[in-house]
Amino acid sequence: MAVPPSAPLPCSPFYLRRQAPCPQCSWGMEEKAAAGAGCREPPGPPRAAAVPCFGISVDQDDILPGALRLIRELRPHWKPQQVRTKRFTDGITNKLVACYVEEDMRDCVLVRVYGERTELLVDRESEVRNFQLLRAHGCAPKLYCTFQNGLCYEYMRGMALGPEHIREPRLFSLSADVPEVEVLERELAWLKEHLPQLDSPVVFCHNDLLCKNIIYDSTKGHVRFIDYEYAGYNYQAFDIGNHFNEFAGVNEVDYCRYPARETQLQWLRYYLQAQKGMAVTPREVERLYVQVNKFALASHFFWALWALIQSQFSTIDFNFLRYAVIRFNQYFKVKPQVSALEMPK
């Protein structure tokens, strides 16, 4: 939002009267003057709203007095004696100070004062236009105002990166490929609607049967499972489908290794025979095959979400974000063909 909540509406006479011309935002004032009579948007595509422009010049060598004048305009409810300031010293073109009243800086106004004669190198009108355009697309903070030799904008919480950070794969990998929340909610609803209809029995499951959690004792011919942190009651077909997904590996994921239909049918036949203690029919094997491959979608979805959470909190040296994207991609890739599978008559 270009105009702060405490400011009058753009079309009010008070708003127009209080603004003083200022070089870097004259384009916005001209647009406002042209539309002011009827308060109508001119024909054509919507344009970014003009921001307040104050006739205030802030002394580069003594920023605080000018910054507080701007704060009185932008945050009139703040008590001057409670305003705290913090100087940022990393920039080499402009000077920047943060103004806030709460310790957590939840509401914080950044006052940026342009460097002396930097207009010889920087087109300030274009800067303001670019700022508003990026804000409209969710890529920039709120622009609160401009003044004669600078601008004020929203403080974005986070850490300013250093050279040691930008080499980290988790910072430049595939976050743009993570589906939107609305898409994930829709897919979750689809899974919850369709999978229970398959009537897969609920059994005690391991829920994390990746290769390294399976131990084979060749001297005894025994297979044992380890690591039970995700174990619990779940759909039988999920545990098997999850195991088949793990054929692709974790560090170097390759879904070409996902078991082919014939391999799965053989595996499932052995499983059902061990479970029932007797021979099973092709129909029983085919039924489990359909259940398993449909529940394998839920496995992709679960571990993709798990990886997103891990990418935020884990200290393990693993590219969780990349792994999440891989699992989401495979989910959407196989969903059409898996959805088309039909239970045997």
Side-chain angles (χ1 to χ4, degrees):
M1 181 174 64
V3 181
S6 57
L9 294 174
C11 290
S12 72
F14 179 70
Y15 178 90
L16 294 174
R17 185 172 64 250
R18 76 189 293 199
Q19 311 306 319
C22 132
Q24 67 266 22
C25 59
S26 59
W27 63 275
M29 298 304 294
E30 291 166 3
E31 178 183 348
K32 186 169 296 299
C39 291
R40 292 195 302 266
E41 184 73 15
R47 304 172 68 177
V51 298
C53 179
F54 299 116
I56 295 174
S57 179
V58 177
D59 188 343
Q60 292 188 57
D61 299 320
D62 189 15
I63 294 178
L64 189 56
L68 291 178
R69 289 179 62 193
L70 291 164
I71 292 301
R72 282 197 294 270
E73 297 284 350
L74 297 173
R75 298 291 187 272
H77 57 284
W78 286 5
K79 296 179 180 180
Q81 65 273 19
Q82 294 180 343
V83 176
R84 307 179 183 187
T85 60
K86 178 181 178 181
R87 289 283 300 270
F88 296 93
T89 58
D90 292 335
I92 57 176
T93 300
N94 310 294
K95 295 187 177 181
L96 186 65
V97 62
C99 299
Y100 58 98
V101 293
E102 297 178 0
E103 188 67 35
D104 60 6
M105 299 176 70
R106 184 168 50 224
D107 183 15
C108 175
V109 177
L110 295 179
V111 180
R112 194 178 78 183
V113 181
Y114 300 145
E116 187 68 30
R117 304 292 286 173
T118 52
E119 69 275 7
L120 296 175
L121 302 170
V122 180
D123 184 338
R124 296 302 183 184
E125 289 189 28
S126 294
E127 178 188 23
V128 174
R129 281 195 293 268
N130 294 339
F131 205 125
Q132 290 184 284
L133 176 64
L134 291 170
R135 170 61 188 173
H137 290 275
C139 300
K142 297 175 184 177
L143 179 60
Y144 293 134
C145 77
T146 62
F147 51 96
Q148 288 186 350
N149 61 329
L151 47 81
C152 298
Y153 56 96
E154 177 187 22
Y155 172 73
M156 297 183 70
R157 301 175 71 88
M159 175 182 65
L161 301 184
E164 69 277 14
H165 301 122
I166 55 178
R167 295 178 181 272
E168 296 183 24
R170 67 187 179 90
L171 296 178
F172 61 74
S173 57
L174 307 173
S175 59
D177 292 336
V178 174
E180 297 290 335
V181 172
E182 294 77 9
V183 175
L184 298 181
E185 290 176 341
R186 187 167 62 246
E187 293 302 319
L188 178 60
W190 184 88
L191 291 168
K192 292 170 68 175
E193 177 185 356
H194 288 84
L195 296 185
Q197 298 178 20
L198 299 174
D199 292 328
S200 177
V202 174
V203 299
F204 189 78
C205 297
H206 186 283
N207 290 320
D208 190 22
L209 279 178
L210 50 84
C211 299
K212 298 298 183 182
N213 282 344
I214 304 173
I215 307 299
Y216 172 58
D217 185 344
S218 59
T219 62
K220 298 180 180 179
H222 287 172
V223 170
R224 295 290 185 267
F225 302 148
I226 61 173
D227 291 354
Y228 316 113
E229 58 184 335
Y230 295 102
Y233 286 95
N234 201 346
Y235 293 102
Q236 176 192 61
F238 176 91
D239 213 18
I240 301 173
N242 183 71
H243 174 58
F244 286 170
N245 281 338
E246 297 297 348
F247 279 41
V250 176
N251 293 303
E252 298 295 333
V253 183
D254 182 3
Y255 283 105
C256 291
R257 297 197 288 258
Y258 186 80
R261 172 181 166 82
E262 290 306 315
T263 302
Q264 289 192 50
L265 292 177
Q266 182 184 33
W267 194 104
L268 296 172
R269 186 180 304 109
Y270 290 149
Y271 176 91
L272 285 173
Q273 288 175 349
Q275 181 187 30
K276 294 176 177 291
M278 56 185 293
V280 294
T281 66
R283 181 182 177 278
E284 290 177 292
V285 177
E286 182 68 22
R287 176 183 173 85
L288 183 55
Y289 171 81
V290 173
Q291 292 172 330
V292 163
N293 281 272
K294 288 180 180 288
F295 268 94
L297 291 175
S299 162
H300 285 307
F301 198 83
F302 172 79
W303 291 112
L305 294 177
W306 170 89
L308 286 182
I309 296 172
Q310 290 289 83
S311 71
Q312 296 297 310
F313 301 107
S314 177
T315 58
I316 296 174
D317 184 18
F318 181 80
N319 194 335
F320 289 102
L321 184 58
R322 177 177 177 272
Y323 185 73
V325 171
I326 290 173
R327 297 302 295 256
F328 278 132
N329 286 348
Q330 188 66 11
Y331 171 92
F332 287 106
K333 178 181 178 180
V334 302
K335 183 185 175 185
Q337 64 195 64
V338 169
S339 300
L341 293 175
E342 296 183 357
M343 298 288 279
K345 302 300 182 183

